[in-house]
Amino acid sequence: MEKRKFDINSLIGILLIGGILAWMTYNQPSQEELEAEKQKQEQAVQEAEESSNQQEETKDITPEIVNSASATDSVALQGLQNRLGSFAYSGTLPSATDATTVIENDVLRLTVSNKGGSIVEAKLKNETQYLGQPVYLIKDGNSDFNLQFNAENRALNTKDLYFEPTLTQNGDNNVLSMKLKTAPNAYLEYRYELKPGDHMLDFSVRTQGLDRIMDTSQPMYLNWDFKGYRQAKSITYENRYTRLTYEHENGDDHSKLSPAGEDEEIEKDVNWMNYRTHFFSSMLLTDTPFKEVKLTSEDLVKDETIDTIFTKRYGAQMLLEPKAGGLSYDMNMYYGPTDYQIFKQYDRNLDEAMPLGWGIFGIINKYLIIPVFGLLSSWFPAGIAIILLTILFKLLLSPVQYKQYVSQAKMKVLKPELDAIKKKHEGNQMKIQQETLKLQNIAGASPLKGCLPALMQIPVFYALFTFFPTAFDLRQKSFLWADDLSSYDVVAELPFNIPFYGDHVSLFPILASIAIFIYMMMSTGQQMQQQQQPGMPNMKFIMYLSPLFMLVFFNNYASGLSVYYLTSNLITIGIMLVIKKFIIDEDKIHAKIQENKKKPKKQNRFQRKMSEMMEQAEAQKKAQQKRK
């Protein structure tokens, strides 16, 4: 799915376009032919004036076009007729220019061109990018929307043809009808309807009176090519969350193309596709699923240290199925924020286009973290909302963390006895493990009991990790020295670029790294004092690796995520100190363990099995030593 492939279709397309241009150049009439035709036309006009009482009104479209044009343009019009057939009619209308029409509401401004009838500019009125300029999702030719069809033995593309615009009102909605005509009552129509305050617009493609002109037996494709503009300060961070996602198989499956390199897929029954550029989405949705769609994606950022304009190139070739009466597709277009709260309003599974995590992680985000953070951010600034959210979840998980700390305290109390076991059976690792497990079972203490509470917290922590990079509410929200919580904070610019680190220094990751280091010193210090068990992870290595990872890789991440980690670890350190100083009494724990030793304690099935396996292994070892 992520393999790089040579695009043979692009090569074929280039060759075809080159052939067409060469053919058009070769068949262009000479100056002598134009002059001769001009004389014939002038003579025809003179004869027509002399016999005006015998002239009849023509009903044929092509003569009407020629007679309405100047004599000099008639040959060019004839060439247009040869290339476009009945669709040459649109080339003679007053709209046959590159003029545009604007359709807008209070959040979205769309500019539609007569040539091609498609959107050539999509501006989000209430959003700005990292340089303070307006956010344009479509501008300067980065989007190519085209209907490819056959008519009168010709292959035509709407992007080369001229539509006639009509702007009207439907209640409070603005409606723009773009018609590609072959006659006054025969046309292909693109219809746009935009509601107040909505980033989603109704879009339909239909035909009228073209049954005898359009060849519906040939494949008909709707093509949409798009290049995503860079909108954020960190190109690395933005590009990581820029991706093509789509819904297919009648809404039962949601997939995405690779975020790196080139990728291509052919899917059946596609309902929608989202050209996501991290915090903004350009989407096409259809009420009638596209029978087959070829989807492509290409990463345009080859070197993240070089300033760039575009992040990804997306493409979709959608196979349309005309009906008996012609072509009729009701669709929608969306140009706006990649925001969960907005997506949920449409009830079309659009939230699946967001990287909120799979399984339980996505559920926690959708039904717990996002609603709680939305409520907090409506009352408090974004930075304070992050801190309050972290405190809230830390308090909710504090009972689980308490069990983890109690288990660690028990292991600390048992350390002298564990050391005695190691000294007594020095050199016999099997016996040490056997006696250690026996003591831990009697005392009701085990490293596993300390790990299980930590594992129970992972779903919440990972859900929070996936939430902050996708939270639109953090975009361009400041906190302390960070001017945008959705991007990295900068306290110093570097005159050079450090691989993986960047060309700047962010303070929040540094503070978060220090907090993580202190926490790990407190939580793993006792374990590091013990002799390293074979097969167990090197805790000292992990203690230094985690803060280093945070320091390096989070330097280009959203500062909001670093604020969360900083707050989380500071709260954890505080909880540990409170539990250690005021809640856990090691003397009482020691007395309880000694009391438990006097009571016979049954082993569970797992413990019995482990003891039997270790005893068998010990017996085998002794038997081997006797043979020697």
Side-chain angles (χ1 to χ4, degrees):
M1 185 174 178
E2 298 183 9
K3 295 188 296 185
R4 294 177 176 270
K5 301 178 182 178
F6 177 74
D7 190 0
I8 188 63
N9 293 328
S10 297
L11 178 60
I12 295 174
I14 292 173
L15 295 175
L16 287 174
I17 292 172
I20 293 172
L21 291 175
W23 180 85
M24 291 173 61
T25 302
Y26 177 79
N27 286 276
Q28 185 175 2
S30 64
Q31 184 64 32
E32 290 79 4
E33 291 173 333
L34 288 173
E35 290 294 335
E37 184 65 26
K38 180 179 179 181
Q39 292 178 3
K40 291 181 180 179
Q41 290 296 328
E42 290 177 349
Q43 183 177 357
V45 170
Q46 184 178 359
E47 292 175 354
E49 291 176 350
E50 294 175 353
S51 57
S52 57
N53 58 332
Q54 299 177 358
Q55 186 179 9
E56 295 181 357
E57 182 178 355
T58 179
K59 300 297 181 181
D60 182 60
I61 293 176
T62 303
E64 182 177 335
I65 293 174
V66 174
N67 290 337
S68 64
S70 67
T72 307
D73 294 335
S74 62
V75 174
L77 290 172
Q78 185 63 49
L80 186 67
Q81 175 70 24
N82 293 336
R83 293 195 306 274
L84 305 180
S86 298
F87 285 91
Y89 175 80
S90 64
T92 66
L93 298 173
S95 60
T97 66
D98 292 336
T100 58
T101 305
V102 172
I103 178 173
E104 60 184 326
N105 58 19
D106 48 336
V107 297
L108 185 62
R109 185 179 190 272
L110 302 174
T111 303
V112 182
S113 175
N114 291 357
K115 187 175 183 181
S118 62
I119 297 172
V120 293
E121 192 171 278
K123 176 185 177 181
L124 305 186
K125 290 186 174 182
N126 300 331
E127 307 297 338
T128 57
Q129 45 110 297
Y130 71 108
L131 295 175
Q133 299 172 349
V135 170
Y136 287 92
L137 300 184
I138 298 178
K139 188 180 180 182
D140 298 334
N142 71 312
S143 178
D144 187 6
F145 195 84
N146 175 55
L147 177 62
Q148 179 184 343
F149 61 96
N150 285 271
E152 299 174 329
N153 297 320
R154 298 171 176 85
L156 299 176
N157 294 280
T158 55
K159 65 180 181 180
D160 301 324
L161 305 175
Y162 290 95
F163 288 67
E164 185 176 46
T166 304
L167 188 61
T168 58
Q169 292 285 130
N170 181 16
D172 294 332
N173 301 347
N174 294 322
V175 179
L176 176 61
S177 171
M178 303 294 294
K179 293 181 179 179
L180 173 63
K181 295 183 175 181
T182 63
N185 295 318
Y187 52 83
L188 165 70
E189 181 186 28
Y190 289 168
R191 186 179 185 274
Y192 305 87
E193 183 168 352
L194 186 59
K195 307 177 185 68
D198 202 343
H199 290 93
M200 180 89 75
L201 63 147
D202 296 335
F203 173 67
S204 61
V205 178
R206 69 185 187 95
T207 60
Q208 177 175 310
L210 301 181
D211 302 18
R212 297 182 180 181
I213 298 175
M214 295 186 73
D215 186 356
T216 57
S217 66
Q218 297 296 319
M220 190 177 298
Y221 293 101
L222 186 63
N223 299 318
W224 186 23
D225 296 320
F226 181 90
K227 289 194 295 184
Y229 276 112
R230 173 187 178 181
Q231 308 286 357
K233 180 167 55 177
S234 174
I235 183 62
T236 304
Y237 192 64
E238 180 178 24
N239 205 35
R240 183 176 291 112
Y241 292 96
T242 297
R243 203 165 187 181
L244 192 158
T245 58
Y246 55 96
E247 179 181 88
H248 58 110
E249 300 296 340
N250 296 318
D252 296 330
D253 199 3
H254 299 85
S255 303
K256 57 194 68 130
L257 297 189
S258 171
E262 298 179 17
D263 198 6
E264 176 182 310
E265 287 292 327
I266 297 178
E267 299 288 1
K268 306 289 186 181
D269 299 322
V270 175
N271 293 327
W272 54 255
M273 63 211 69
N274 181 5
Y275 293 170
R276 191 182 77 219
T277 57
H278 194 185
F279 283 122
F280 299 101
S281 291
S282 302
M283 305 183 71
L284 180 64
L285 310 91
T286 176
D287 294 342
T288 304
F290 298 121
K291 181 179 180 180
E292 182 179 281
V293 180
K294 178 183 176 182
L295 298 158
T296 59
S297 176
E298 179 186 359
D299 188 359
L300 300 178
V301 182
K302 307 304 180 184
D303 188 347
E304 295 178 345
T305 63
I306 300 176
D307 199 15
T308 185
I309 299 176
F310 301 106
T311 53
K312 295 284 197 312
R313 177 186 286 114
Y314 299 131
Q317 184 184 62
M318 297 151 271
L319 178 62
L320 303 184
E321 294 183 287
K323 299 178 181 179
L327 191 64
S328 179
Y329 269 83
D330 291 325
M331 294 178 272
N332 295 95
M333 290 178 169
Y334 177 89
Y335 298 101
T338 305
D339 190 326
Y340 177 82
Q341 301 292 359
I342 295 178
F343 281 178
K344 285 299 293 180
Q345 296 175 5
Y346 299 111
D347 195 27
R348 298 182 71 171
N349 299 324
L350 302 187
D351 55 287
E352 296 293 340
M354 299 184 64
L356 296 175
W358 53 272
I360 185 65
F361 311 116
I363 293 174
I364 293 173
N365 266 324
K366 294 176 182 179
Y367 301 107
L368 184 60
I369 296 176
I370 291 177
V372 172
F373 184 78
L375 183 64
L376 292 173
S377 60
S378 65
W379 292 343
F380 302 97
I384 301 299
I386 292 176
I387 294 174
L388 293 176
L389 180 74
T390 310
I391 293 173
L392 179 61
F393 279 99
K394 276 293 181 181
L395 291 176
L396 290 175
L397 294 172
S398 58
V400 178
Q401 290 182 325
Y402 173 75
K403 292 182 179 179
Q404 180 182 357
Y405 299 147
V406 170
S407 178
Q408 291 176 355
K410 287 182 179 181
M411 293 300 297
K412 180 181 178 181
V413 171
L414 286 177
K415 186 178 184 299
E417 297 184 53
L418 294 174
D419 290 341
I421 292 174
K422 292 176 184 177
K423 186 176 181 179
K424 180 180 179 180
H425 302 284
E426 188 175 358
N428 190 342
Q429 191 63 40
M430 186 68 70
K431 190 67 175 178
I432 292 174
Q433 291 180 358
Q434 188 175 3
E435 292 297 321
T436 298
L437 288 174
K438 183 178 179 180
L439 175 62
Q440 291 173 347
N441 180 50
I442 294 173
S446 170
L448 185 60
K449 289 185 177 180
C451 294
L452 287 177
L455 293 175
M456 293 174 62
Q457 302 175 61
I458 288 179
V460 175
F461 290 157
Y462 183 78
L464 286 165
F465 175 79
T466 57
F467 163 72
F468 285 108
T470 61
F472 189 83
D473 289 340
L474 295 182
R475 188 175 179 274
Q476 296 184 344
K477 301 297 192 303
S478 62
F479 179 62
L480 298 178
W481 56 86
D483 56 4
D484 186 351
L485 285 169
S486 71
S487 187
Y488 55 80
D489 63 289
V490 180
V491 293
E493 296 281 358
L494 299 177
F496 47 82
N497 183 77
I498 301 175
F500 301 109
Y501 186 75
D503 58 0
H504 65 276
V505 176
S506 297
L507 183 54
F508 275 126
I510 295 176
L511 297 177
S513 299
I514 294 173
I516 290 176
F517 181 78
I518 296 173
Y519 162 70
M520 298 198 74
M521 282 288 290
M522 295 175 63
S523 61
T524 63
Q526 295 296 327
Q527 300 178 41
M528 289 171 58
Q529 295 176 13
Q530 302 177 22
Q531 184 178 353
Q532 186 68 35
Q533 298 281 345
M536 295 292 289
N538 189 322
M539 301 307 297
K540 188 174 182 179
F541 174 76
I542 294 176
M543 187 183 72
Y544 289 112
L545 178 63
S546 297
L548 182 63
F549 179 86
M550 166 66 73
L551 180 66
V552 174
F553 290 97
F554 278 65
N555 194 61
N556 289 300
Y557 269 61
S559 54
L561 189 59
S562 297
V563 171
Y564 154 68
Y565 274 110
L566 172 61
T567 307
S568 176
N569 284 284
L570 289 177
I571 295 172
T572 301
I573 293 170
I575 292 175
M576 288 179 67
L577 292 174
V578 170
I579 292 175
K580 182 178 180 180
K581 297 294 184 182
F582 303 104
I583 299 178
I584 292 180
D585 189 331
E586 293 185 1
D587 293 334
K588 289 184 179 180
I589 291 176
H590 184 267
K592 184 69 174 178
I593 290 175
Q594 298 306 318
E595 185 179 340
N596 289 339
K597 287 182 181 180
K598 299 175 182 179
K599 300 176 182 179
K601 187 172 183 179
K602 293 183 178 181
Q603 292 181 328
N604 59 40
R605 185 175 179 182
F606 174 75
Q607 291 171 333
R608 288 198 305 270
K609 189 67 176 177
M610 287 294 297
S611 297
E612 292 173 1
M613 292 174 61
M614 295 182 73
E615 288 174 358
Q616 292 174 4
E618 182 67 18
Q620 291 176 0
K621 184 177 181 181
K622 290 181 178 180
Q624 291 176 356
Q625 290 176 348
K626 288 181 179 180
R627 294 193 194 101
K628 293 180 179 178

